[in-house]
Amino acid sequence: MKLAAFEELVLLVVGTLGDQAYGVAIKEMLREKMKKNPSIGALHSALYRLESKGYVTSSEGGATAERGGRRKKFYKITAFGIRTLSEVHQLRMDLAKGVPGLKLSLK
Amino acid sequence: MKTIEPPRLARRILRWYCADEVLETLEGDLYELYEIRCRRYGKVVANVASFVDVISACRPFAFGKSNQLHITTTDMFRNYVKITVRHLSRQKLYAAINIGGLALGLASFITIMLYVQHEFSYNRSYPDVDKIYRVYQRQDGNTFLGTDYFAVMPAQLATTMLAEFPEVEHATTVVEATGLITHGDDHFYEKGLAGDARFFDVFQLPFLTGSPAKALVDPKSIVLTKTLAKTIFGDRDPVGETLQFLDQEGFHVTAVVEDASSTSSFQYTFIIQISFHDGYVDAMKRAGWNNNSFHTYFTLKDATRAKTVEAKFPALISKYHLPTDYKEYPFKDTFFVESLTDVYFHPNINFDLGLKGDRDMVYIFGVVALVVLLLACVNYMNLAIVRSIKRAKEVGLRKVAGAARRQLVIQFLAESIAIALLSLLVSIALVYLAVPYFGWLMERPVAIDFTTNTWLLPGLFGLMTVVGLISGIYPALVMSSLKPMDVLRVNGDVRLSGVSLQKALIVLQFAASFGLVIASLVIYRQLEFIKNKELGYDRANILTVRLRDFELRKKFVSLSNQWAQNPHIIDATISSHLPANISSSSTIKSRPESATPDLAIYQLSTQYNFLDLYGIKLIAGRNFSRAFNDTTGANYILNETAVRALGWTVEDAIGKDLSRGENQPRTVIGVVKDFHMHSMREPIHPLMIRFSEDRGGYFSIKIDPDKKQQVIEYLEKSIRNASPYPFEYEFFEDHYNRLYSSEARLGEMFVSFTILAVVIASLGLFGLAAFATGQRTREIGIRKVLGAGRAGIVVLVSRDFLRLVTVAVVGAIPLSWYFMHNWLRAFAFRIELEWWFFTVAALFMILVAYISIGYQSLRAASANPVDSLRGE
């Protein structure tokens, strides 16, 4: 299994957010879009795992006053990551086609 | 602009576990989220959520690079072991003291816990033990030996309960049975029990041969335990054989059971059918109850119904209870039920079966054990820190070389667990030595047994780990928090905090030790006083023989005539009691006008030679004598206290009538000087001595001290000719000392505890001294350079500690005085608490303190200032 369910979600959000993907931003998006509210610990754990698997890279920067002057860790999706996402997605679609009554649309 | 900050505690927790490389990001997120939540939900929710965040982030990713930890744990382990061994061998003295101190604490803890475990295990080895109960009663106002609770019940109670209470499943009547079992020509004096046919329904003992249902049905049956069966019958099957018990013949052995478990509070070697007891057979014939001599045990179908049964008793009592032969029965009785498992810890009850334990004392011992262990751990902690100061440089280097704080903590913890393991091994050896002594001290079969005690080995390992962790965590944290800058500095002295806690603990340890020294001293002095006090009778060279055989008692006159032939036998007498313990009492009227008997007076019956043999002084009138007609038993000798209690003087007592007008006259023919007929806890009570030559409990024989062995053999032969019972003899001196065996044991116990406490306290002080002296090496060096002599340095170093010890001692004086004063008050004859007790104890503690600090202060005084000031 290349990607766990939660990891996949996080990776998707990282891809979506592009340059702005860091801890709190990812958390907020997951909250709005997916109605999921992961703890900051779970989130960072997943991000570290994604990095160690090579799906994302990280860089530091963006210290703000709200953070008490502390820098953020930005995550960027890699080409490998994008490829893995599409593979996983494709797999899902193939399986979904076999379920009668399941209508899917891809925007 | 002021930044809103998440709660400080949350941040501290985060900083504590989080690795540096992850900390910035996480903390930043924490701040940002806090600010967002404050806006959305308000401060309270934001605060709580921060804690949730911090706890949720406590995951492996936050602890540092995982690959780094893997390499370290396996490879570094060997290094840790090497370093630990190296350190221990370099600092042999400290290491030995550390291991020894911890071992001592562990050994005390384990020994006492084994005892506590044993105490709580009594009477639990029966199947369905939760359903086994017994009945006891209270006779309001009928106080005997300090309590009005009695363990004895009417004979018919068991069968009645079985008939009338549906909650009761089985019930049995039990009584003690002690006496001679005879098989052919062999006699065995045994202690056992007697039960009715339903005994084994209630007590499901393990049977080796025979069936429980039939074992005691026949009124002439007897069941033996394994060992007794072997003793009497060897390897033959005993079932079907016939035995005689006391004077009744024809008991058939119906079964053999396992020996009584060591956790059974009543020990027995046989169980005989209760019909041997005439009183029982008699009582069972009556419809109503008029006796209280038996024990009633029963089982409930449902253990929760115990109180229901208890509530039904009053109705039962009024239905069956007959008034006794007293003119009126003044004592209202109430029956209670009690679980078998509670019987052992119920000591204040009369006529109960078996051993009793004091629950409070067991708890106290448990607490003491814990305290001793804690003190040992604390001392260990102190000494470990002291040892580690020398290694501060090593710690600094490791940190510089990149060791994470976690690694250092693990290293120190591993070291302290290793030391704990060593201490455990040493302590197990100590426990093997201590347990038999402790068991003797407490008079219980405490044992260290890895085979039967299933939780012992894992428990000990668990203990070792916990102790290692507790003792090691503080030094580990302290050491790993040292900044390399501080320790690798050229100047060298490392400053550590926490000294005031250590000082407080030292004071406590010394105060406790002082108290124990006082207690030991006082107990010892009181025991000496008791041993040496003028008792009013002789103790030396008197052999006493216990008479259980009624026939033997009647043979006194012929036996004593025989003995008169032996030149080494000086005198002989027979008496109901020995002078040191006259336990039989009666009540008479103290004045002729008294309405009812209101004077408790003790009574002794004996013959002509008693007073001379024991050297009891006659101060008025005459002794029993063949010249007069004393054998009628109407003549009495009183002691001084009795005379006074009856309102007479010693001179005019002679010829007076004791009976105060009742039936037969009792004439006073003589008065003896008061002598101690009870333990020194009691004042001297009134005593009346009457005449009897063929009844009594003891022979007393005065013998030639040079021919002891010969005379004993002679007497044994002559008595064995007269009685099949075993020859039970004891020197009167030993008998007397046995009266105080519990005080003697108490004294022993206190001495042991005192030694333990003093050793632990001195270890503690040693550690503290090492620590504090180490902190002051530079100061001492400077002083020496400026011209201070050795003596001056010693005084300087010891001054602080002596102050501590003095505070401890002075503080402990009031409490120890109070406790010992109360203990002594229990004795009617006692020593006084003299001021020199306290002085001696105080000086002793100071001496101990000096010895503990001695090594340290001498070393500090002799240190070369060049070494200490090298760094400047």
Side-chain angles (χ1 to χ4, degrees):
Chain A
M1 204 26 173
K2 291 188 230 197
L3 213 54
F6 182 58
E7 286 172 11
E8 190 190 342
L9 278 178
V10 170
L11 192 54
L12 284 167
V13 172
V14 168
T16 311
L17 286 174
D19 287 332
Q20 300 307 311
Y22 76 100
V24 177
I26 300 173
K27 191 171 189 290
E28 285 289 295
M29 180 164 249
L30 282 170
R31 216 177 63 94
E32 283 170 41
K33 297 279 174 118
M34 314 287 174
K35 308 287 182 256
K36 273 180 93 58
N37 198 1
S39 67
I40 195 76
L43 184 55
H44 276 289
S45 228
L47 286 165
Y48 269 82
R49 276 199 300 275
L50 287 173
E51 183 168 18
S52 72
K53 289 182 190 176
Y55 301 143
V56 297
T57 52
S58 62
S59 58
E60 306 232 338
T64 66
E66 294 93 356
R67 292 173 68 86
R70 291 165 180 79
R71 291 176 294 175
K72 306 172 186 174
K73 200 168 189 141
F74 289 105
Y75 287 88
K76 196 156 165 228
I77 192 166
T78 60
F80 181 40
I82 293 177
R83 207 173 68 219
T84 312
L85 269 180
S86 49
E87 276 177 27
V88 167
H89 188 70
Q90 189 60 44
L91 199 66
R92 285 246 165 72
M93 296 308 281
D94 289 340
L95 283 172
K97 280 192 206 137
V99 179
L102 185 59
K103 291 195 224 324
L104 297 160
S105 66
L106 184 63
K107 283 285 262 300
Chain B
M1 180 176 72
K2 190 159 179 252
T3 338
I4 312 168
E5 291 192 329
R8 217 190 215 153
L9 179 59
R11 279 185 289 139
R12 273 184 70 187
I13 297 176
L14 182 65
R15 289 227 183 103
W16 171 64
Y17 70 72
C18 194
D20 294 325
E21 59 266 25
V22 187
L23 181 59
E24 188 178 354
T25 316
L26 270 177
E27 209 173 2
D29 281 355
L30 193 71
Y31 270 71
E32 198 174 337
L33 285 168
Y34 185 75
E35 201 245 353
I36 295 176
R37 288 176 184 132
C38 270
R39 273 191 283 118
R40 268 192 211 150
Y41 308 111
K43 201 149 186 228
V44 179
V45 173
N47 281 342
V48 173
S50 287
F51 279 99
V52 172
D53 281 345
V54 164
I55 292 176
S56 84
C58 188
R59 293 167 185 240
F61 80 86
F63 299 156
K65 296 276 159 89
S66 50
N67 43 350
Q68 190 183 28
L69 211 57
H70 277 308
I71 297 175
T72 345
T73 340
T74 34
D75 288 338
M76 289 301 271
F77 195 65
R78 260 189 313 178
N79 181 269
Y80 292 160
V81 170
K82 202 202 295 186
I83 299 288
T84 307
V85 170
R86 204 184 277 169
H87 277 122
L88 289 182
S89 50
R90 263 202 216 137
Q91 296 183 306
K92 285 207 184 72
L93 178 65
Y94 282 106
I97 291 183
N98 235 359
I99 295 178
L102 200 57
L104 200 63
L106 274 168
S108 319
F109 180 76
I110 295 171
T111 310
I112 294 182
M113 277 324 191
L114 282 173
Y115 162 72
V116 169
Q117 181 195 37
H118 175 86
E119 287 287 287
F120 279 111
S121 70
Y122 270 104
N123 296 337
R124 281 180 199 274
S125 58
Y126 304 96
D128 291 332
V129 71
D130 300 315
K131 299 216 179 102
I132 307 181
Y133 287 81
R134 64 98 170 250
V135 188
Y136 66 99
Q137 64 174 304
R138 178 171 192 211
Q139 294 190 352
D140 214 333
N142 185 11
T143 312
F144 181 74
L145 294 181
T147 170
D148 52 7
Y149 285 86
F150 296 86
V152 283
M153 313 301 299
Q156 307 95 318
L157 181 60
T159 40
T160 315
M161 282 174 73
L162 209 50
E164 308 240 348
F165 292 169
E167 297 90 345
V168 170
E169 183 152 23
H170 305 289
T172 181
T173 312
V174 178
V175 81
E176 234 176 321
T178 304
L180 219 58
I181 292 183
T182 311
H183 175 66
D185 293 324
D186 300 320
H187 305 282
F188 307 90
Y189 185 72
E190 299 291 330
K191 282 186 169 51
L193 294 173
D196 62 17
R198 287 163 292 274
F199 181 84
F200 294 110
D201 292 334
V202 174
F203 296 104
Q204 299 171 52
L205 300 178
F207 270 65
L208 293 170
T209 55
S211 95
K214 306 206 202 100
L216 284 178
V217 169
D218 185 328
K220 282 288 207 181
S221 43
I222 183 171
V223 173
L224 306 176
T225 59
K226 191 166 74 172
T227 314
L228 185 59
K230 192 132 198 255
T231 315
I232 303 182
F233 297 105
D235 293 318
R236 294 199 324 265
D237 182 9
V239 175
E241 300 272 356
T242 315
L243 293 173
Q244 174 183 341
F245 179 64
L246 295 176
D247 49 351
Q248 299 176 37
E249 294 184 336
F251 286 94
H252 311 291
V253 179
T254 52
V256 177
V257 291
E258 275 290 355
D259 290 341
S261 151
S262 63
T263 60
S264 166
S265 73
F266 20 103
Q267 293 291 315
Y268 48 85
T269 53
F270 65 91
I271 302 151
I272 194 168
Q273 227 285 351
I274 197 170
S275 308
F276 88 92
H277 195 293
D278 294 328
Y280 176 79
V281 173
D282 226 31
M284 292 305 277
K285 292 195 190 126
R286 297 173 199 239
W289 304 342
N290 70 335
N291 66 86
N292 280 312
S293 314
F294 304 90
H295 303 275
T296 307
Y297 286 84
F298 63 96
T299 57
L300 284 171
K301 292 178 186 144
D302 178 357
T304 59
R305 312 287 279 162
K307 286 294 167 194
T308 329
V309 168
E310 201 173 88
K312 289 190 183 179
F313 277 133
L316 203 71
I317 295 174
S318 44
K319 186 169 166 187
Y320 288 97
H321 210 307
L322 287 179
T324 62
D325 296 316
Y326 277 85
K327 295 206 172 62
E328 52 293 304
Y329 191 69
F331 309 116
K332 178 177 181 330
D333 34 351
T334 333
F335 291 3
F336 301 94
V337 304
E338 186 175 44
S339 160
L340 178 65
T341 52
D342 291 332
V343 170
Y344 176 71
F345 282 120
H346 190 170
N348 293 334
I349 187 167
N350 286 313
F351 308 123
D352 206 347
L353 289 173
L355 283 175
K356 291 291 175 163
D358 187 348
R359 201 186 285 243
D360 289 334
M361 191 162 71
V362 175
Y363 282 143
I364 290 180
F365 269 101
V367 168
V368 166
L370 256 162
V371 168
V372 166
L373 186 65
L374 266 153
L375 282 179
C377 286
V378 167
N379 283 349
Y380 172 86
M381 268 191 253
N382 288 347
L383 223 49
I385 295 183
V386 168
R387 279 193 303 113
S388 307
I389 289 177
K390 320 252 169 185
R391 304 165 55 181
K393 291 215 176 111
E394 177 208 334
V395 173
L397 272 171
R398 279 184 187 266
K399 286 199 131 179
V400 167
R405 189 163 168 203
R406 195 124 301 101
Q407 279 172 273
L408 283 167
V409 171
I410 291 178
Q411 177 195 355
F412 281 102
L413 274 180
E415 190 182 308
S416 85
I417 291 186
I419 292 192
L421 175 65
L422 265 170
S423 305
L424 183 72
L425 292 173
V426 173
S427 74
I428 291 183
L430 285 175
V431 169
Y432 266 105
L433 287 174
V435 159
Y437 168 70
F438 196 72
W440 167 82
L441 200 62
M442 307 307 293
E443 288 185 341
R444 294 284 181 274
V446 188
I448 175 165
D449 191 346
F450 285 104
T451 46
T452 50
N453 207 340
T454 42
W455 289 112
L456 190 57
L457 202 57
L460 284 180
F461 271 103
L463 180 68
M464 171 198 90
T465 318
V466 167
V467 166
L469 280 174
I470 295 180
S471 318
I473 203 99
Y474 183 58
L477 284 177
V478 164
M479 291 322 293
S480 59
S481 73
L482 290 178
K483 298 255 183 313
M485 272 286 282
D486 293 336
V487 301
L488 291 177
R489 198 181 300 172
V490 177
N491 301 348
D493 277 355
V494 182
R495 301 247 138 227
L496 292 173
S497 56
V499 185
S500 17
L501 181 65
Q502 292 178 16
K503 282 192 175 163
L505 278 162
I506 296 294
V507 169
L508 265 167
Q509 288 174 350
F510 268 82
S513 307
F514 174 80
L516 284 172
V517 170
I518 295 279
S520 302
L521 214 62
V522 170
I523 295 177
Y524 172 74
R525 294 279 305 183
Q526 174 67 6
L527 283 176
E528 285 293 291
F529 171 75
I530 289 174
K531 246 204 292 179
N532 298 334
K533 184 168 192 306
E534 178 57 59
L535 296 168
Y537 45 81
D538 294 338
R539 277 183 277 179
N541 308 322
I542 299 174
L543 190 79
T544 66
V545 183
R546 184 86 198 268
L547 306 173
R548 297 187 197 274
D549 187 353
F550 295 110
E551 298 302 311
L552 183 58
R553 298 174 190 182
K554 298 186 199 151
K555 297 182 185 161
F556 172 70
V557 179
S558 62
L559 279 172
S560 59
N561 287 335
Q562 264 183 48
W563 298 337
Q565 318 283 344
N566 187 324
H568 304 296
I569 295 186
I570 304 171
D571 205 349
T573 185
I574 180 172
S575 58
S576 59
H577 304 87
L578 294 177
N581 193 8
I582 298 179
S583 50
S584 161
S585 71
S586 166
T587 38
I588 60 174
K589 293 192 194 160
S590 61
R591 299 282 185 282
E593 327 70 74
S594 311
T596 49
D598 57 342
L599 178 67
I601 185 165
Y602 284 82
Q603 49 193 15
L604 170 73
S605 50
T606 183
Q607 50 87 267
Y608 309 103
N609 308 342
F610 186 82
L611 294 182
D612 284 335
L613 192 149
Y614 279 104
I616 298 176
K617 288 196 172 25
L618 197 67
I619 53 176
R622 64 170 184 86
N623 187 8
F624 297 126
S625 158
R626 292 182 174 84
F628 293 81
N629 194 9
D630 288 322
T631 49
T632 56
N635 294 340
Y636 284 77
I637 300 176
L638 301 179
N639 71 352
E640 289 175 273
T641 313
V643 167
R644 274 196 302 270
L646 291 162
W648 302 325
T649 66
V650 167
E651 295 78 34
D652 60 37
I654 311 296
K656 288 260 196 318
D657 183 6
L658 268 180
S659 66
R660 306 302 202 187
E662 300 281 324
N663 359 352
Q664 306 122 342
R666 300 181 183 182
T667 322
V668 179
I669 57 163
V671 180
V672 288
K673 200 159 166 32
D674 279 344
F675 59 90
H676 283 283
M677 45 187 183
H678 300 119
S679 103
M680 301 244 180
R681 289 172 178 270
E682 300 290 322
I684 308 234
H685 294 293
L687 171 72
M688 62 188 186
I689 310 178
R690 64 161 186 258
F691 184 87
S692 161
E693 208 166 29
D694 56 4
R695 285 191 308 199
Y698 296 87
F699 291 152
S700 302
I701 305 157
K702 198 165 205 164
I703 65 175
D704 179 352
D706 301 320
K707 298 280 183 205
K708 276 199 194 122
Q709 195 50 40
Q710 256 188 30
V711 180
I712 293 175
E713 282 170 16
Y714 171 81
L715 283 168
E716 173 160 17
K717 240 189 294 186
S718 105
I719 287 179
R720 279 203 151 274
N721 275 338
S723 158
Y725 272 72
F727 176 56
E728 275 178 74
Y729 75 93
E730 189 177 28
F731 275 94
F732 182 60
E733 179 118 49
D734 300 328
H735 175 95
Y736 177 73
N737 288 337
R738 262 197 311 123
L739 283 178
Y740 296 101
S741 64
S742 67
E743 276 87 355
R745 264 181 31 230
L746 190 73
E748 284 263 359
M749 204 187 315
F750 267 89
V751 169
S752 310
F753 275 128
T754 307
I755 296 178
L756 195 67
V758 167
V759 169
I760 291 181
S762 23
L763 280 180
L765 189 56
F766 185 86
L768 180 63
F771 178 78
T773 324
Q775 302 244 307
R776 300 169 76 176
T777 28
R778 263 194 305 157
E779 176 198 339
I780 294 175
I782 294 176
R783 284 182 187 263
K784 289 199 88 170
V785 165
L786 291 179
R790 276 232 203 128
I793 302 292
V794 170
V795 166
L796 174 73
V797 167
S798 15
R799 195 177 43 197
D800 265 343
F801 303 110
L802 289 180
R803 231 185 315 152
L804 284 179
V805 173
T806 319
V807 166
V809 162
V810 166
I813 288 183
L815 227 105
S816 46
W817 185 90
Y818 174 72
F819 275 116
M820 292 329 289
H821 181 77
N822 273 357
W823 182 76
L824 280 176
R825 261 208 326 200
F827 289 86
F829 296 89
R830 58 178 179 262
I831 56 169
E832 287 304 314
L833 273 182
E834 300 175 42
W835 61 268
W836 65 261
F837 289 163
F838 295 92
T839 324
V840 165
L843 286 173
F844 177 68
M845 293 317 294
I846 294 183
L847 181 67
V848 167
Y850 255 115
I851 296 178
S852 314
I853 346 174
Y855 178 66
Q856 298 303 330
S857 42
L858 272 179
R859 251 189 48 182
S862 329
N864 193 338
V866 176
D867 295 324
S868 12
L869 297 171
R870 189 182 289 267
E872 303 297 337

